[in-house]
Amino acid sequence: MNFSIQNDHLKIAVQETGAELCQIQSTVTGKDFLWNADPAVWASYAPVLFPVIGAIKNGFVKYNGSEYAVPRHGMVRNNANVKLTNQTTDSLTFTLKYSEETLVIYPFEFEFQITYRLDGKKVVVDHKVINHGSSEMLFSLGGHPAFKCPLHEDEVYEDYYLEFEAIENDSTWLLEKNGLVGNTTKPVLEHTNVLHLNSHLFDNDALIFKHLISKQVSLRSTKSGQVVTVYYKDFPYLGIWAKPGGHFVCIEPWLGIADNADSDQNFETKEGILKLEAGGTFEASFAIEINE
């Protein structure tokens, strides 16, 4: 089931299963800005990532002497147990809570909430994590929105580029075939704030940035004036990805990262892992702005 809200600028829709944003549409022009989840290419729109990002080494983490098979990208994505818990004229909130089933693969008594809010030309994505347990909780979270590219029939993928807010000098961390982060980097942004898209940019999987100065990035076209900007001030990692041949680009704010190839699989020492005290609450947000 999908739920939708709209204002004078935008209409959004969210699938209850997985709390996945599945539409960002201009109420002025009718133009859609999200990828259409074509199953022949990549059957997702904007997966929600919690409580891990990306691949886990050997498919499990170690915690307190036990092994837990946390799924790749976590347990919210495609999860039918996610429920709409609040709806207003300008917001939709979805919740997933721990259960006996989740405790088998993730040993924490969590409550995960995600709220989509319309604020003018922005879609604000608020995350809230509550630790209902009596001990410290470990987690990561992130977004994976896929933006349609090109937006117009007279454009091609190579007409588009990403523009960061600051001049950057950062390399991508190369992924191994199993999705784990290797120890090799490749220069991508060298004294520039522009990254041009092309059909081979993601031949070796996602670009993974750990040291960006910028806290916002815009998807722009050299031909049309339309712009999608993602603001991610709460998120230290950024992934950029597209399925080769797919007419989209994912701009992924992350609080966490896939396991390193050399990981000892200890959940407590996993790179980017967050720790939340018993009874505590954690919040983080990113925003998507549409300018036509």
Side-chain angles (χ1 to χ4, degrees):
M1 182 178 294
N2 293 354
F3 296 90
S4 62
I5 52 175
Q6 67 180 69
N7 63 13
D8 292 339
H9 304 283
L10 299 173
K11 175 185 177 182
I12 65 169
V14 183
Q15 294 181 162
E16 188 168 41
T17 297
E20 185 171 357
L21 184 66
C22 59
Q23 183 184 49
I24 302 177
Q25 184 183 71
S26 168
T27 55
V28 178
T29 64
K31 182 162 291 295
D32 289 305
F33 290 86
L34 274 189
W35 162 246
N36 64 4
D38 180 355
V41 181
W42 187 62
S44 294
Y45 304 94
V48 177
L49 315 181
F50 172 87
V52 297
I53 308 294
I56 298 296
K57 186 175 180 179
N58 297 325
F60 65 89
V61 297
K62 300 175 182 178
Y63 180 74
N64 279 353
S66 297
E67 297 176 355
Y68 296 90
V70 187
R72 183 188 183 99
H73 282 327
M75 64 180 71
V76 175
R77 185 182 190 182
N78 300 324
N79 193 325
N81 293 318
V82 178
K83 299 300 178 187
L84 178 74
T85 50
N86 191 50
Q87 180 171 359
T88 70
T89 56
D90 62 0
S91 71
L92 297 164
T93 299
F94 299 84
T95 302
L96 179 67
K97 296 183 72 173
Y98 77 94
S99 64
E100 290 185 8
E101 184 180 70
T102 68
L103 289 171
V104 173
I105 59 173
Y106 177 64
F108 301 104
E109 297 178 358
F110 72 91
E111 180 175 343
F112 177 82
Q113 296 179 7
I114 185 167
T115 299
Y116 297 92
R117 293 188 288 116
L118 287 177
D119 180 9
K121 297 180 180 181
K122 287 183 179 179
V123 182
V124 183
V125 186
D126 298 321
H127 306 80
K128 179 183 286 188
V129 179
I130 304 170
N131 182 0
H132 291 295
S134 57
S135 60
E136 186 177 69
M137 174 182 163
L138 308 176
F139 70 98
S140 301
L141 64 84
H144 202 314
F147 299 102
K148 186 178 177 182
C149 183
L151 285 166
H152 301 278
E153 291 184 0
D154 63 345
E155 295 176 328
V156 296
Y157 199 71
E158 285 74 13
D159 291 329
Y160 282 76
Y161 62 97
L162 295 173
E163 183 180 77
F164 294 86
E165 68 171 327
I167 299 297
E168 298 287 355
N169 289 281
D170 204 2
S171 299
T172 182
W173 290 79
L174 299 182
L175 289 168
E176 300 192 352
K177 290 183 178 180
N178 53 11
L180 301 180
V181 180
N183 295 311
T184 304
T185 61
K186 178 183 178 181
V188 175
L189 297 167
E190 298 182 278
H191 308 292
T192 183
N193 66 334
V194 171
L195 176 62
H196 291 279
L197 300 185
N198 64 75
S199 58
H200 295 291
L201 187 59
F202 308 105
D203 284 352
N204 295 316
D205 213 320
L207 305 180
I208 297 175
F209 298 111
K210 297 184 182 183
H211 305 296
L212 293 174
I213 301 169
S214 302
K215 288 300 181 181
Q216 68 184 67
V217 62
S218 297
L219 175 64
R220 296 181 180 271
S221 167
T222 58
K223 288 187 176 180
S224 64
Q226 287 164 322
V227 177
V228 176
T229 300
V230 178
Y231 302 86
Y232 53 93
K233 64 179 177 60
D234 293 340
F235 294 78
Y237 300 92
L238 189 73
I240 306 292
W241 176 79
K243 192 83 168 182
H247 293 162
F248 66 91
V249 62
C250 293
I251 301 174
E252 307 177 40
W254 295 338
L255 275 159
I257 195 168
D259 271 354
N260 188 276
D262 295 333
S263 169
D264 62 6
Q265 299 177 254
N266 186 334
F267 207 16
E268 291 181 290
T269 58
K270 176 176 168 57
E271 182 182 353
I273 206 70
L274 301 174
K275 299 180 180 181
L276 182 60
E277 70 275 10
T281 298
F282 174 88
E283 296 181 319
S285 301
F286 68 86
I288 301 163
E289 184 174 29
I290 306 296
N291 284 298
E292 297 187 89

